[in-house]
């Protein structure tokens, strides 16, 4: 499996070249979200480790950047990127070879760790997951690894917001399980004051039914009333992109789009 994949046509980041620091056929993640497109985890863990070679990543990235000009380079892929202990080295390495903005899609679970916050603050864009307004729904939707709690996750996001000078977006996946908690979610989000709120519902193949466009529009309206800057999966424009290797994209997305 290659470490660099895409570019992906992303509704939230534009033309995004992916860097997968996990690179596993089955996901390795600190969550096992009920809507996850990647299926059953190989490992559900909050323990950080090294999974890929940064020298290899650098070689692949140099080749990819010869043929594609992404809007952003994004840490994402087959699990939670912050589980990779060498992510800090990956950031430093990419900064030396490219001026393209750097982003991460994280599930926020390790943001209560100071070392992780200090690493993430070196990025330009952090897209942090928040699907639940309380512990019960957090456990039900995100099914976290042992010792990861809603309280610690929220505290981590809030601490990070205080030190981060880049763009912090909160990504919220709306499904049947949190549909009746939109008001609580808007209050919680307002309290965090992210730069952007990304209103999502699972449109890629997974066992959970997505909400309709009408339902998402209604939800988006509730965030807007609070003065929050929002984008939504149904209405955001996606750029046209051609992946360098279609199979590498399918391995991560289980679909071609
Ligand atoms: S955080 Fe992302 S990769 Fe991990 S289980 Fe949830 S959706 Fe899947």
């Amino acid at each position: 499996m290659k470490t660099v994949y895409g570019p992906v046509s992303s509704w939230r980041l534009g033309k995004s070249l992916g860097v997968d620091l996990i690179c596993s056929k089955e996901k390795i993640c600190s969550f096992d979200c009920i809507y996850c497109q990647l299926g059953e985890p190989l490992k559900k863990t909050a323990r950080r480790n090294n999974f890929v070679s940064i020298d290899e990543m650098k070689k692949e990235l140099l080749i990819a950047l010869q043929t594609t000009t992404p809007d952003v380079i994004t840490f994402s892929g087959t699990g939670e990127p912050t589980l990779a202990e060498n992510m800090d080295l990956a950031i430093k390495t990419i900064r030396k070879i490219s001026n393209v903005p750097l982003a991460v899609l994280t599930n926020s679970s390790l943001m209560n760790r100071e070392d992780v916050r200090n690493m993430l603050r070196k990025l330009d864009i952090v897209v942090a997951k928040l699907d639940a307004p309380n512990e019960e729904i957090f456990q039900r939707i995100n099914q976290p690894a042992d010792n990861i709690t809603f309280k610690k996750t929220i505290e981590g996001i809030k601490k990070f917001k205080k030190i981060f000078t880049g763009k912090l977006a909160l990504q919220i996946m709306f499904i049947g399980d949190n549909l009746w908690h939109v008001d609580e979610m808007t209050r919680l989000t307002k309290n965090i004051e992210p730069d952007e709120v990304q209103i999502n519902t699972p449109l890629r193949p997974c066992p959970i039914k997505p909400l309709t466009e009408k339902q998402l529009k209604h939800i988006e309206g509730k965030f807007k009333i609070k003065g929050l800057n929002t984008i939504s999966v149904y209405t955001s424009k996606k750029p046209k992109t051609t992946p360098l290797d279609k199979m590498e994209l399918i391995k991560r997305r289980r679909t071609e789009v």
Side-chain angles (χ1 to χ4, degrees):
M1 232 168 144
K2 286 186 180 155
T3 305
V4 175
Y5 67 99
V8 167
S9 173
S10 165
W11 64 276
R12 41 186 157 204
L13 294 167
K15 189 175 172 185
S16 163
L17 188 63
V19 173
D20 183 354
L21 296 178
I22 304 292
C23 263
S24 171
K25 278 193 185 121
E26 285 130 356
K27 78 182 176 214
I28 299 176
C29 192
S30 45
F31 282 1
D32 185 16
C33 304
I34 54 173
Y35 55 75
C36 184
Q37 75 212 16
L38 297 173
E40 294 287 313
L42 176 66
K43 227 196 247 173
K44 182 158 75 173
T45 179
R47 207 168 172 171
R48 304 185 78 206
N49 211 332
N50 288 333
F51 306 93
V52 302
S53 144
I54 299 303
D55 283 344
E56 201 49 47
M57 177 208 76
K58 183 180 172 184
K59 273 187 219 155
E60 288 179 25
L61 197 57
L62 284 169
I63 294 169
L65 290 172
Q66 279 171 12
T67 48
T68 188
T69 47
D71 298 324
V72 64
I73 295 172
T74 307
F75 292 104
S76 182
T78 50
E80 170 52 31
T82 60
L83 283 177
E85 260 185 334
N86 53 8
M87 185 174 169
D88 204 30
L89 178 61
I91 295 169
K92 279 187 200 134
T93 306
I94 299 173
R95 289 289 194 208
K96 278 187 197 151
I97 59 173
S98 163
N99 291 325
V100 175
L102 264 181
V104 67
L105 303 183
T106 175
N107 65 17
S108 320
S109 63
L110 301 192
M111 285 169 90
N112 69 326
R113 288 179 57 144
E114 195 177 5
D115 57 346
V116 171
R117 289 195 300 276
N118 284 334
M119 175 185 76
L120 293 177
R121 71 189 298 187
K122 295 172 188 164
L123 300 171
D124 303 292
I125 305 165
V126 170
V127 180
K129 183 186 289 299
L130 179 65
D131 295 336
N134 58 47
E135 186 69 46
E136 188 200 333
I137 298 173
F138 178 69
Q139 293 291 335
R140 196 188 316 148
I141 296 181
N142 301 119
Q143 306 190 102
D146 293 345
N147 298 324
I148 295 179
T149 64
F150 172 74
K151 191 166 175 268
K152 282 199 255 179
T153 304
I154 291 290
E155 280 171 7
I157 298 173
K158 284 184 181 171
K159 281 184 189 164
F160 181 67
K161 166 70 184 163
K162 282 191 189 145
I163 61 162
F164 188 44
T165 53
K167 175 178 169 179
L168 175 67
L170 279 193
Q171 48 162 334
I172 309 177
M173 188 69 94
F174 280 101
I175 55 177
D177 291 79
N178 55 6
L179 177 58
W180 306 109
H181 299 272
V182 177
D183 290 337
E184 291 156 79
M185 291 300 296
T186 59
R187 279 196 293 275
L188 189 60
T189 305
K190 185 69 189 165
N191 200 254
I192 295 167
E193 284 283 2
D195 300 296
E196 184 175 270
V197 185
Q198 301 175 347
I199 313 281
N200 203 358
T201 197
L203 297 181
R204 296 198 198 123
C206 83
I208 301 294
K209 212 174 139 205
L211 300 187
T212 64
E213 194 166 348
K214 196 175 162 195
Q215 284 172 311
L216 238 56
K217 200 174 171 194
H218 178 71
I219 291 169
E220 193 178 3
K222 295 212 168 198
F223 282 86
K224 279 188 194 295
I225 285 173
K226 291 268 184 193
L228 292 158
N229 178 32
T230 62
I231 58 168
S232 165
V233 67
Y234 279 118
T235 49
S236 287
K237 288 207 171 68
K238 289 165 78 177
K240 280 209 168 74
T241 56
T242 311
L244 302 168
D245 184 332
K246 218 184 231 185
M247 277 318 292
E248 289 294 327
L249 191 62
I250 292 171
K251 281 176 203 163
R252 272 100 183 173
R253 299 195 141 198
R254 307 295 191 254
T255 167
E256 286 183 27
V257 293

